[in-house]
Amino acid sequence: MTIDDQLRRALASKDPPAGFLGRTLNRIASAEAGQRPPSSGSLASRRALLLAVAASLVLAVGGSRYLLHRQTVREAERARDEVAAALQVVSRTLADVQIKVEAAVERAGANHERHSR
Amino acid sequence: MPNAAAALVEPPEDLLQRARSGEGHAFAALVGEYQRMVFSLANHFVHDRAIAEELAQEVFLELYRNLSHLSSIPHLVFWLRRVTSHRCIDQQRRLGRRPEVGMRDLPEPAVLPDPRDPMREERLRRLIRELPPAARMVVVLRYQEDLEPAEISAILGMRANTVKSHLRRSLAVLRSRIAEEETRP
């Protein structure tokens, strides 16, 4: 084994200690909250609040489980959006069909009247 | 190296976009994605997990404050590597100089003895810790992140020839020190 290979093995990246993600988010949320007055309704304050919510969730359920939970939520949201989009397409198609059917019925009615005279 | 759990969440470009628009969950997922890389860079440099965690947290705090300036994932990764590297080197300078391995006048042995020694990786990490700060970060970026000298040069703001010189001399030092330790009675 060359020294390059040995260095790659010795310097392979490793996971941080358990709870790192939660502690990091908590620290950022605290630092941001400490920088701004509590009554401020600015975008930055809102962002800090949202981050604090994420931090508390991560601390409550653990980093990896939290991220997997977020994945599930995002996939569910994506599936819901896809179903809604599909329903809109179906609805538009049905409306088009209905218009065509009504036009055909009207034409048929008009033809029938012409012939009966 | 991306975190496996976070990598499943959604494409990193989408995460960055949503984090930039203020979504805390997206920022949390971004940290989850890159925590391993940032923590490991710091840990291999300082060889102390508590100090490495402190440094990595500072990097992510700075990331949070600079998200609006980062336009893409490659830009974000470059930024994280650069800020982590500079913070590590600055921290080392604040702590003052520690005993370091001399970079000159070291003979280079022809071969490395006993390459499968299970203690070798830890010994290597300890010896890397004794390299001067700039040379140490060059070695960490080269072998942890598998970067080319030109990429390291851009991250550290150093000429490519200087990077190559650090690498060459650091490898010579490491080979010598390993050989020296292994021949010691």
Side-chain angles (χ1 to χ4, degrees), chain A residues 1-4 6-17 20-21 23-25 27-28 31-32 35 44 47-48 50-51 53-54 57-58 64 66-68 70-71 74-75 78, chain B residues 1 6 8-10 18 22 24-25 27-29 31-32 35-36 39-40 44 49 53-54 56-58 60-61 64-65 112 115-116 120-121 124-125 128 139 142-144 146 171 175:
Chain A
M1 193 189 289
T2 66
I3 192 160
D4 282 343
Q6 290 177 47
L7 282 166
R8 279 194 186 92
R9 288 168 68 117
L11 296 177
S13 52
K14 292 189 176 69
D15 284 328
F20 172 83
L21 177 59
R23 289 192 296 277
T24 301
L25 295 178
R27 177 171 169 184
I28 297 170
E32 290 299 287
Q35 274 202 341
R47 286 179 56 178
L50 291 174
L51 186 66
V53 170
L57 283 169
V58 170
S64 297
Y66 167 78
L67 293 170
L68 288 169
R70 288 300 306 166
Q71 179 201 5
R74 295 291 301 171
E75 282 173 358
R78 202 168 292 145
Chain B
M1 190 69 65
L8 291 171
V9 176
E10 63 180 293
R18 294 196 297 113
H25 299 303
F27 181 74
V31 176
Q35 60 181 357
R36 186 179 165 103
F39 173 79
S40 295
H44 288 141
R49 287 173 72 83
E53 172 160 346
E54 179 77 11
Q57 286 185 355
E58 286 173 12
F60 285 118
L61 173 59
Y64 184 76
R65 291 174 174 166
L112 280 166
R116 303 299 299 195
R120 181 180 297 274
E121 287 176 17
L124 263 177
R125 284 191 285 269
I128 290 164
V139 170
R142 175 77 184 98
Y143 292 101
Q144 181 192 308
D146 214 14
L171 291 186
R175 281 195 186 100

Coordinates of all heavy atoms in Angstrom, one line a residue, chain A residues 1-4 6-17 20-21 23-25 27-28 31-32 35 44 47-48 50-51 53-54 57-58 64 66-68 70-71 74-75 78, chain B residues 1 6 8-10 18 22 24-25 27-29 31-32 35-36 39-40 44 49 53-54 56-58 60-61 64-65 112 115-116 120-121 124-125 128 139 142-144 146 171 175:
Chain A
M1 N 0.8 -1.2 0.0 CA 0.0 0.0 0.0 C 0.9 1.3 0.0 O 1.8 1.3 0.8 CB -0.9 0.0 1.3 CG -2.0 1.0 1.2 SD -2.8 1.2 2.8 CE -3.7 -0.4 2.9
T2 N 0.6 2.2 -0.9 CA 1.4 3.4 -1.0 C 1.0 4.4 0.1 O 0.0 4.2 0.8 CB 1.2 4.1 -2.3 OG1 -0.2 4.6 -2.3 CG2 1.4 3.2 -3.5
I3 N 1.9 5.4 0.3 CA 1.5 6.4 1.4 C 0.3 7.1 1.0 O -0.5 7.5 1.9 CB 2.7 7.3 1.7 CG1 2.4 8.1 3.0 CG2 3.0 8.2 0.5 CD1 3.5 8.7 3.7
D4 N 0.0 7.3 -0.3 CA -1.2 8.0 -0.7 C -2.5 7.2 -0.2 O -3.4 7.8 0.3 CB -1.3 8.1 -2.3 CG -0.4 9.2 -2.8 OD1 0.0 10.1 -2.0 OD2 -0.1 9.2 -4.0
Q6 N -2.6 5.0 2.2 CA -2.6 5.1 3.7 C -3.2 6.4 4.2 O -4.0 6.4 5.1 CB -1.2 4.9 4.3 CG -0.7 3.5 4.1 CD 0.7 3.3 4.6 OE1 1.0 3.7 5.7 NE2 1.6 2.7 3.8
L7 N -2.8 7.5 3.5 CA -3.3 8.8 3.9 C -4.8 8.9 3.6 O -5.6 9.5 4.4 CB -2.6 9.9 3.2 CG -1.2 10.2 3.8 CD1 -0.3 11.1 2.9 CD2 -1.3 10.9 5.2
R8 N -5.3 8.3 2.5 CA -6.7 8.4 2.2 C -7.5 7.6 3.3 O -8.5 8.0 3.7 CB -7.0 7.7 0.8 CG -6.7 8.7 -0.3 CD -7.3 8.3 -1.6 NE -6.8 9.3 -2.6 CZ -5.7 9.2 -3.3 NH1 -4.9 8.1 -3.2 NH2 -5.3 10.2 -4.1
R9 N -6.9 6.5 3.7 CA -7.6 5.7 4.8 C -7.6 6.5 6.1 O -8.6 6.5 6.8 CB -6.9 4.4 4.9 CG -7.2 3.4 3.8 CD -6.3 2.2 3.8 NE -6.6 1.4 5.0 CZ -7.1 0.1 4.9 NH1 -7.2 -0.4 3.7 NH2 -7.3 -0.6 5.9
A10 N -6.5 7.0 6.4 CA -6.3 7.7 7.7 C -7.2 9.0 7.7 O -7.7 9.4 8.8 CB -4.9 8.1 8.0
L11 N -7.4 9.6 6.6 CA -8.1 10.9 6.5 C -9.5 10.7 5.9 O -10.1 11.6 5.4 CB -7.3 11.9 5.7 CG -6.0 12.3 6.4 CD1 -5.3 13.3 5.5 CD2 -6.2 13.0 7.8
A12 N -10.1 9.5 5.9 CA -11.4 9.3 5.5 C -12.4 10.1 6.3 O -12.2 10.1 7.6 CB -11.8 7.8 5.5
S13 N -13.4 10.7 5.7 CA -14.3 11.5 6.6 C -15.2 10.6 7.5 O -15.5 9.5 7.1 CB -15.2 12.4 5.7 OG -15.8 11.7 4.7
K14 N -15.5 11.2 8.6 CA -16.3 10.4 9.6 C -17.4 11.3 10.1 O -17.3 12.5 10.0 CB -15.4 10.1 10.8 CG -14.3 9.0 10.5 CD -13.6 8.6 11.7 CE -12.6 7.5 11.4 NZ -11.4 7.9 10.7
D15 N -18.5 10.6 10.5 CA -19.6 11.4 11.0 C -19.3 12.2 12.3 O -18.5 11.7 13.1 CB -20.8 10.4 11.4 CG -21.5 9.9 10.1 OD1 -21.5 10.7 9.1 OD2 -21.9 8.8 10.1
P16 N -19.9 13.3 12.5 CA -19.7 14.1 13.7 C -20.4 13.3 14.9 O -21.1 12.4 14.7 CB -20.4 15.4 13.4 CG -21.3 15.1 12.3 CD -20.8 14.0 11.5
P17 N -20.1 13.8 16.1 CA -20.7 13.1 17.3 C -22.3 13.2 17.2 O -22.8 14.1 16.6 CB -20.2 13.9 18.5 CG -19.0 14.7 18.0 CD -19.2 14.9 16.5
F20 N -25.0 16.3 16.8 CA -24.3 17.5 16.2 C -25.3 18.4 15.5 O -25.3 19.6 15.7 CB -23.2 17.0 15.3 CG -22.6 18.2 14.5 CD1 -21.6 18.9 15.1 CD2 -23.0 18.5 13.2 CE1 -21.0 20.0 14.4 CE2 -22.4 19.5 12.6 CZ -21.4 20.3 13.2
L21 N -26.2 17.8 14.7 CA -27.1 18.6 13.9 C -28.0 19.5 14.8 O -28.1 20.7 14.5 CB -27.9 17.7 12.9 CG -29.0 18.4 12.1 CD1 -28.3 19.4 11.2 CD2 -29.7 17.4 11.3
R23 N -27.5 20.4 17.9 CA -26.8 21.4 18.7 C -26.4 22.6 17.8 O -26.4 23.7 18.2 CB -25.5 20.7 19.3 CG -25.8 19.8 20.5 CD -24.5 19.4 21.2 NE -23.6 18.7 20.4 CZ -23.6 17.4 20.2 NH1 -24.6 16.7 20.7 NH2 -22.7 16.8 19.4
T24 N -26.0 22.2 16.5 CA -25.6 23.3 15.6 C -26.8 24.2 15.3 O -26.6 25.4 15.4 CB -25.1 22.6 14.3 OG1 -24.0 21.8 14.6 CG2 -24.6 23.7 13.3
L25 N -28.0 23.6 15.0 CA -29.1 24.5 14.6 C -29.5 25.3 15.8 O -29.9 26.5 15.7 CB -30.3 23.6 14.2 CG -30.0 22.8 12.9 CD1 -31.2 21.9 12.6 CD2 -29.8 23.7 11.7
R27 N -27.6 26.4 18.2 CA -26.7 27.4 18.4 C -26.9 28.6 17.4 O -26.9 29.8 17.8 CB -25.3 26.9 18.2 CG -24.2 27.9 18.4 CD -22.8 27.4 18.4 NE -21.9 28.5 18.3 CZ -20.6 28.3 18.2 NH1 -20.1 27.0 18.3 NH2 -19.7 29.3 18.1
I28 N -27.2 28.2 16.2 CA -27.4 29.3 15.2 C -28.7 30.0 15.5 O -28.8 31.3 15.5 CB -27.6 28.6 13.8 CG1 -26.2 28.0 13.4 CG2 -27.9 29.7 12.7 CD1 -26.3 27.1 12.1
A31 N -28.0 32.3 18.4 CA -27.1 33.4 18.0 C -28.0 34.4 17.2 O -27.9 35.7 17.4 CB -26.0 32.9 17.1
E32 N -28.9 34.0 16.3 CA -29.7 34.9 15.5 C -30.7 35.6 16.4 O -31.0 36.8 16.2 CB -30.3 34.1 14.4 CG -29.4 33.6 13.3 CD -28.7 34.7 12.7 OE1 -29.3 35.5 11.9 OE2 -27.5 34.9 13.0
Q35 N -29.3 38.4 18.3 CA -28.8 39.6 17.5 C -30.0 40.5 17.2 O -29.7 41.6 16.9 CB -28.3 39.1 16.2 CG -26.8 38.7 16.3 CD -26.2 38.8 14.9 OE1 -26.9 38.7 13.9 NE2 -24.9 38.8 14.9
A44 N -35.7 38.5 8.6 CA -34.6 37.8 9.3 C -35.1 37.2 10.6 O -34.8 36.0 11.0 CB -33.5 38.8 9.6
R47 N -37.1 34.1 9.8 CA -36.2 33.0 9.4 C -35.6 32.4 10.6 O -35.5 31.2 10.7 CB -35.1 33.5 8.5 CG -35.6 33.8 7.1 CD -34.5 34.3 6.2 NE -33.4 33.4 6.2 CZ -32.3 33.6 5.5 NH1 -32.2 34.6 4.7 NH2 -31.3 32.7 5.5
A48 N -35.2 33.2 11.6 CA -34.6 32.7 12.8 C -35.6 31.9 13.6 O -35.3 30.8 14.2 CB -34.1 33.9 13.7
L50 N -38.2 30.2 12.3 CA -38.3 28.9 11.5 C -37.2 28.0 11.8 O -37.3 26.8 12.0 CB -38.5 29.2 10.0 CG -39.8 29.9 9.6 CD1 -39.7 30.2 8.1 CD2 -41.0 29.0 9.9
L51 N -36.0 28.6 11.9 CA -34.8 27.7 12.2 C -34.9 27.2 13.6 O -34.6 26.0 13.8 CB -33.5 28.6 12.0 CG -32.3 27.7 12.1 CD1 -32.2 26.7 11.0 CD2 -31.0 28.6 12.2
V53 N -37.6 26.4 15.2 CA -38.6 25.3 15.1 C -37.9 24.1 14.6 O -38.0 23.0 15.2 CB -39.8 25.7 14.2 CG1 -40.6 24.5 14.0 CG2 -40.5 26.8 14.9
A54 N -37.1 24.2 13.5 CA -36.4 23.1 13.0 C -35.4 22.5 14.0 O -35.3 21.3 14.2 CB -35.6 23.5 11.7
L57 N -37.2 20.5 16.7 CA -37.6 19.2 16.1 C -36.5 18.2 16.0 O -36.6 17.1 16.4 CB -38.3 19.4 14.8 CG -39.7 19.9 14.8 CD1 -40.2 20.3 13.4 CD2 -40.7 18.9 15.4
V58 N -35.3 18.8 15.5 CA -34.2 17.9 15.4 C -33.7 17.4 16.8 O -33.4 16.2 17.0 CB -33.0 18.6 14.7 CG1 -31.7 17.8 14.8 CG2 -33.3 18.9 13.3
S64 N -30.8 12.1 12.2 CA -31.2 11.2 11.0 C -32.6 10.9 10.9 O -33.2 11.0 9.8 CB -30.4 9.9 11.2 OG -29.0 10.1 11.1
Y66 N -35.0 12.8 12.0 CA -35.7 14.0 11.6 C -35.6 14.2 10.1 O -36.6 14.5 9.4 CB -35.0 15.2 12.3 CG -35.4 16.5 11.7 CD1 -36.6 17.1 12.0 CD2 -34.5 17.2 10.8 CE1 -36.9 18.4 11.4 CE2 -34.9 18.4 10.2 CZ -36.1 19.0 10.6 OH -36.4 20.2 10.0
L67 N -34.4 14.0 9.5 CA -34.2 14.1 8.1 C -35.0 13.1 7.3 O -35.6 13.5 6.2 CB -32.7 14.0 7.7 CG -31.8 15.2 8.3 CD1 -30.4 14.9 8.1 CD2 -32.2 16.5 7.7
L68 N -35.1 11.9 7.8 CA -36.0 10.9 7.1 C -37.4 11.3 7.2 O -38.2 11.1 6.3 CB -35.7 9.5 7.7 CG -34.4 8.9 7.4 CD1 -34.1 7.7 8.2 CD2 -34.3 8.5 5.9
R70 N -38.5 14.3 7.4 CA -38.7 15.4 6.4 C -38.8 14.9 5.0 O -39.6 15.4 4.2 CB -37.6 16.4 6.5 CG -37.5 17.3 7.7 CD -38.8 18.1 7.9 NE -39.1 18.9 6.7 CZ -40.3 19.5 6.5 NH1 -41.2 19.4 7.4 NH2 -40.5 20.3 5.4
Q71 N -38.1 13.8 4.7 CA -38.2 13.2 3.4 C -39.6 12.7 3.1 O -40.2 12.9 2.1 CB -37.2 12.1 3.2 CG -37.2 11.4 1.9 CD -36.7 10.0 1.9 OE1 -36.3 9.5 2.9 NE2 -36.6 9.4 0.8
R74 N -41.9 15.5 2.6 CA -41.8 16.1 1.2 C -42.3 15.2 0.1 O -43.0 15.7 -0.8 CB -40.3 16.4 0.9 CG -39.6 17.4 1.8 CD -40.1 18.8 1.6 NE -39.9 19.3 0.2 CZ -40.4 20.4 -0.3 NH1 -41.2 21.2 0.5 NH2 -40.2 20.8 -1.5
E75 N -42.1 13.9 0.3 CA -42.6 13.0 -0.7 C -44.2 13.0 -0.7 O -44.8 13.0 -1.8 CB -42.1 11.6 -0.5 CG -40.7 11.4 -1.0 CD -40.0 10.1 -0.6 OE1 -40.7 9.3 0.1 OE2 -38.9 9.9 -1.0
R78 N -45.3 16.1 -2.4 CA -45.1 16.0 -3.9 C -46.2 15.1 -4.5 O -46.8 15.5 -5.5 CB -43.7 15.4 -4.1 CG -43.2 15.7 -5.5 CD -41.7 15.4 -5.6 NE -40.9 16.2 -4.8 CZ -39.8 15.9 -4.2 NH1 -39.4 14.6 -4.3 NH2 -39.1 16.7 -3.5
Chain B
M1 N -18.2 14.2 2.1 CA -19.1 13.0 1.8 C -20.5 13.3 2.4 O -20.6 13.6 3.5 CB -18.5 11.8 2.5 CG -19.1 10.5 2.1 SD -18.8 10.0 0.4 CE -17.0 9.7 0.6
A6 N -29.6 12.6 4.9 CA -30.0 13.8 4.3 C -30.0 13.7 2.8 O -30.8 14.3 2.1 CB -29.0 14.9 4.7
L8 N -31.1 11.5 1.0 CA -32.4 11.0 0.5 C -33.5 12.0 0.5 O -34.5 11.8 -0.2 CB -32.8 9.9 1.5 CG -32.0 8.6 1.6 CD1 -32.5 7.8 2.8 CD2 -32.2 7.8 0.3
V9 N -33.3 13.1 1.2 CA -34.4 14.1 1.3 C -34.8 14.6 0.0 O -36.0 14.5 -0.4 CB -34.0 15.2 2.3 CG1 -35.1 16.2 2.3 CG2 -33.8 14.6 3.7
E10 N -34.0 15.3 -0.7 CA -34.3 15.9 -2.0 C -33.0 16.4 -2.7 O -32.0 16.5 -2.0 CB -35.4 16.9 -1.9 CG -35.0 18.1 -1.1 CD -36.1 19.2 -1.0 OE1 -36.5 19.7 -2.1 OE2 -36.6 19.3 0.1
R18 N -34.6 26.5 -1.2 CA -35.6 26.6 -0.2 C -34.9 27.2 1.1 O -35.5 28.0 1.8 CB -36.3 25.3 0.1 CG -37.1 24.8 -1.1 CD -38.1 23.8 -0.7 NE -37.5 22.6 -0.2 CZ -37.6 22.1 1.0 NH1 -38.3 22.8 1.9 NH2 -37.0 21.0 1.3
G22 N -35.6 31.0 3.3 CA -35.9 31.1 4.7 C -36.5 29.8 5.3 O -37.0 29.9 6.5
G24 N -36.4 26.8 7.4 CA -35.5 26.3 8.4 C -35.3 24.8 8.2 O -34.2 24.3 8.4
H25 N -36.3 24.1 7.8 CA -36.2 22.6 7.6 C -35.2 22.4 6.4 O -34.4 21.4 6.5 CB -37.5 22.0 7.2 CG -38.5 22.1 8.3 ND1 -38.3 21.7 9.5 CD2 -39.7 22.7 8.2 CE1 -39.4 21.9 10.3 NE2 -40.3 22.6 9.5
F27 N -32.7 24.3 5.6 CA -31.3 24.6 6.0 C -30.8 23.5 6.9 O -29.7 23.1 6.8 CB -31.3 25.9 6.8 CG -30.0 26.3 7.4 CD1 -29.0 26.8 6.5 CD2 -29.6 26.1 8.7 CE1 -27.7 27.1 6.9 CE2 -28.3 26.4 9.1 CZ -27.4 26.9 8.3
A28 N -31.7 22.9 7.8 CA -31.3 21.8 8.6 C -30.9 20.6 7.7 O -29.9 19.9 8.0 CB -32.5 21.3 9.5
A29 N -31.6 20.4 6.6 CA -31.2 19.3 5.7 C -29.9 19.5 5.1 O -29.1 18.6 4.9 CB -32.3 19.0 4.7
V31 N -27.4 21.3 6.4 CA -26.4 21.0 7.4 C -26.2 19.5 7.5 O -25.0 19.0 7.6 CB -26.8 21.6 8.8 CG1 -25.7 21.3 9.8 CG2 -26.9 23.2 8.7
G32 N -27.3 18.8 7.5 CA -27.2 17.3 7.6 C -26.4 16.7 6.4 O -25.6 15.8 6.6
Q35 N -22.5 18.1 7.1 CA -21.9 18.1 8.4 C -20.6 17.2 8.5 O -19.6 17.5 9.1 CB -22.9 17.7 9.5 CG -23.5 16.3 9.3 CD -24.5 16.0 10.4 OE1 -24.7 16.8 11.3 NE2 -25.1 14.8 10.2
R36 N -20.7 16.0 7.8 CA -19.7 15.1 7.8 C -18.4 15.7 7.2 O -17.3 15.5 7.7 CB -20.1 13.8 7.0 CG -19.2 12.7 7.1 CD -19.8 11.5 6.3 NE -18.9 10.5 6.0 CZ -18.8 9.3 6.6 NH1 -19.6 9.1 7.6 NH2 -17.9 8.5 6.3
F39 N -17.1 18.7 9.5 CA -16.6 18.2 10.8 C -15.3 17.4 10.6 O -14.3 17.6 11.3 CB -17.6 17.3 11.5 CG -17.1 16.6 12.7 CD1 -17.0 17.3 13.9 CD2 -16.6 15.3 12.7 CE1 -16.4 16.7 15.0 CE2 -16.1 14.7 13.8 CZ -16.0 15.4 15.0
S40 N -15.2 16.6 9.6 CA -14.0 15.8 9.3 C -12.8 16.7 9.0 O -11.7 16.4 9.4 CB -14.2 14.8 8.2 OG -15.2 13.9 8.7
H44 N -9.7 16.4 11.4 CA -8.4 16.0 10.9 C -7.3 17.0 11.1 O -6.1 16.7 11.2 CB -8.4 15.5 9.4 CG -9.2 14.2 9.2 ND1 -10.0 14.0 8.2 CD2 -9.2 13.1 10.0 CE1 -10.5 12.8 8.3 NE2 -10.1 12.2 9.4
R49 N -12.0 16.2 18.8 CA -13.4 16.2 18.4 C -14.2 17.4 18.9 O -15.1 17.9 18.3 CB -14.1 14.9 18.7 CG -13.6 13.7 17.8 CD -14.1 12.4 18.2 NE -15.6 12.2 17.9 CZ -16.0 11.8 16.7 NH1 -15.2 11.6 15.7 NH2 -17.3 11.6 16.6
E53 N -15.9 20.1 16.6 CA -17.4 20.4 16.6 C -17.6 21.9 16.8 O -18.5 22.5 16.1 CB -18.1 19.7 17.8 CG -19.5 20.1 17.9 CD -20.4 19.2 18.6 OE1 -20.1 18.0 18.8 OE2 -21.6 19.6 19.0
E54 N -16.8 22.6 17.7 CA -17.0 24.0 17.8 C -16.7 24.8 16.5 O -17.5 25.6 16.1 CB -15.9 24.4 18.9 CG -15.9 25.9 19.3 CD -17.0 26.4 20.1 OE1 -17.7 25.5 20.7 OE2 -17.2 27.6 20.3
A56 N -16.8 23.5 13.5 CA -17.8 23.2 12.4 C -19.1 24.0 12.7 O -19.8 24.5 11.8 CB -18.1 21.7 12.5
Q57 N -19.5 24.2 14.0 CA -20.7 24.9 14.3 C -20.5 26.4 13.8 O -21.4 27.0 13.3 CB -21.0 24.9 15.8 CG -21.5 23.5 16.2 CD -22.0 23.5 17.7 OE1 -21.7 24.5 18.4 NE2 -22.5 22.4 18.1
E58 N -19.3 26.9 14.0 CA -19.1 28.3 13.6 C -19.2 28.4 12.1 O -19.7 29.4 11.6 CB -17.7 28.8 14.1 CG -17.6 29.0 15.6 CD -16.2 29.3 16.0 OE1 -15.3 29.5 15.2 OE2 -16.0 29.3 17.2
F60 N -21.1 26.6 10.1 CA -22.5 26.6 9.7 C -23.2 27.9 10.1 O -24.2 28.3 9.4 CB -23.2 25.3 10.3 CG -22.8 24.1 9.5 CD1 -22.1 23.0 10.1 CD2 -23.0 24.0 8.2 CE1 -21.7 21.9 9.4 CE2 -22.7 22.8 7.4 CZ -22.0 21.8 8.1
L61 N -22.8 28.5 11.2 CA -23.4 29.8 11.6 C -23.1 30.8 10.5 O -24.0 31.5 10.1 CB -22.9 30.2 13.0 CG -23.3 31.6 13.4 CD1 -24.8 31.8 13.5 CD2 -22.7 32.0 14.8
Y64 N -25.2 30.1 7.5 CA -26.6 30.6 7.6 C -26.6 32.1 7.3 O -27.6 32.6 6.6 CB -27.0 30.4 9.1 CG -28.4 30.8 9.3 CD1 -29.5 30.0 8.8 CD2 -28.8 32.0 10.0 CE1 -30.8 30.4 9.1 CE2 -30.1 32.4 10.2 CZ -31.1 31.6 9.7 OH -32.4 31.9 9.9
R65 N -25.6 32.9 7.7 CA -25.6 34.3 7.5 C -25.2 34.7 6.1 O -25.3 35.8 5.7 CB -24.6 35.0 8.5 CG -25.2 34.9 9.9 CD -24.2 35.4 10.9 NE -24.9 35.4 12.2 CZ -24.2 35.6 13.4 NH1 -22.9 35.7 13.4 NH2 -24.9 35.6 14.5
L112 N 7.9 2.1 2.6 CA 7.3 2.2 3.9 C 7.2 0.8 4.4 O 6.6 -0.1 3.8 CB 5.9 2.7 3.7 CG 5.8 4.2 3.6 CD1 4.4 4.6 3.1 CD2 6.0 4.9 4.9
P115 N 3.0 -2.0 5.8 CA 1.9 -1.1 5.4 C 0.5 -1.5 6.1 O -0.4 -0.7 6.1 CB 1.8 -1.1 3.9 CG 2.4 -2.4 3.5 CD 3.4 -2.7 4.6
R116 N 0.4 -2.7 6.5 CA -0.9 -3.1 7.1 C -1.0 -3.0 8.6 O -1.9 -3.5 9.2 CB -1.3 -4.6 6.7 CG -1.3 -4.8 5.2 CD -2.3 -4.0 4.4 NE -3.6 -4.3 4.8 CZ -4.7 -4.0 4.2 NH1 -4.6 -3.3 3.0 NH2 -5.9 -4.3 4.6
R120 N -1.3 2.2 12.2 CA -0.7 3.1 11.4 C -1.6 4.4 11.1 O -1.1 5.5 11.1 CB -0.3 2.5 10.0 CG 0.4 3.4 9.1 CD 0.7 2.7 7.8 NE 1.7 1.6 8.0 CZ 3.0 1.8 8.1 NH1 3.5 3.0 7.9 NH2 3.8 0.8 8.3
E121 N -2.9 4.1 10.9 CA -3.7 5.2 10.6 C -3.8 6.3 11.7 O -3.7 7.5 11.4 CB -5.2 4.7 10.3 CG -5.3 4.0 9.0 CD -6.6 3.4 8.7 OE1 -7.6 3.8 9.4 OE2 -6.7 2.5 7.9
L124 N -0.5 8.1 11.7 CA -0.5 9.0 10.6 C -1.2 10.3 11.0 O -0.8 11.4 10.8 CB -1.1 8.4 9.4 CG -0.1 7.8 8.3 CD1 -0.9 7.2 7.2 CD2 0.8 8.9 7.8
R125 N -2.4 10.1 11.6 CA -3.2 11.3 11.9 C -2.5 12.1 13.0 O -2.6 13.4 12.9 CB -4.6 10.8 12.5 CG -5.6 10.4 11.4 CD -7.0 10.2 11.9 NE -7.1 9.0 12.7 CZ -7.5 7.8 12.2 NH1 -7.7 7.7 10.9 NH2 -7.6 6.8 13.0
I128 N 0.3 14.0 11.2 CA -0.3 15.1 10.4 C -0.6 16.3 11.3 O -0.3 17.4 10.9 CB -1.6 14.6 9.6 CG1 -1.3 13.6 8.6 CG2 -2.4 15.8 9.0 CD1 -2.4 12.8 8.1
V139 N -2.6 18.8 3.1 CA -2.7 17.4 3.1 C -4.1 16.9 3.4 O -4.6 15.9 2.7 CB -1.7 16.8 4.2 CG1 -1.9 15.3 4.5 CG2 -0.3 17.1 3.8
R142 N -6.2 17.4 0.3 CA -5.8 16.4 -0.8 C -6.3 15.0 -0.5 O -6.8 14.4 -1.4 CB -4.3 16.4 -0.8 CG -3.7 15.4 -1.8 CD -3.8 15.9 -3.2 NE -3.4 14.9 -4.2 CZ -4.2 14.1 -4.9 NH1 -5.5 14.1 -4.7 NH2 -3.7 13.2 -5.7
Y143 N -6.2 14.5 0.7 CA -6.5 13.1 1.0 C -7.9 12.9 1.6 O -8.5 11.8 1.4 CB -5.5 12.5 1.9 CG -4.1 12.4 1.1 CD1 -3.1 13.3 1.3 CD2 -4.0 11.5 0.1 CE1 -2.0 13.3 0.6 CE2 -2.8 11.4 -0.6 CZ -1.8 12.3 -0.4 OH -0.6 12.3 -1.1
Q144 N -8.5 13.8 2.3 CA -9.9 13.6 2.7 C -10.8 13.9 1.6 O -11.8 13.2 1.3 CB -10.2 14.5 3.9 CG -11.7 14.3 4.3 CD -12.2 15.4 5.3 OE1 -11.6 15.6 6.3 NE2 -13.4 15.9 5.0
D146 N -9.9 14.5 -1.6 CA -9.4 14.0 -2.9 C -9.3 15.2 -4.0 O -9.7 15.0 -5.1 CB -10.4 12.9 -3.5 CG -9.6 11.9 -4.2 OD1 -8.3 11.9 -4.1 OD2 -10.2 11.1 -5.0
L171 N 4.8 14.8 2.6 CA 4.9 13.4 2.4 C 6.3 12.9 2.8 O 6.4 11.8 3.4 CB 4.6 13.0 0.9 CG 3.2 13.2 0.5 CD1 3.0 12.6 -0.9 CD2 2.2 12.5 1.4
R175 N 6.8 10.2 5.8 CA 7.5 8.9 5.5 C 8.6 8.8 6.5 O 8.8 7.7 7.2 CB 8.1 8.9 4.1 CG 7.1 8.6 3.1 CD 7.8 8.2 1.8 NE 6.9 8.0 0.7 CZ 6.6 9.0 -0.2 NH1 7.2 10.1 -0.2 NH2 5.8 8.7 -1.2

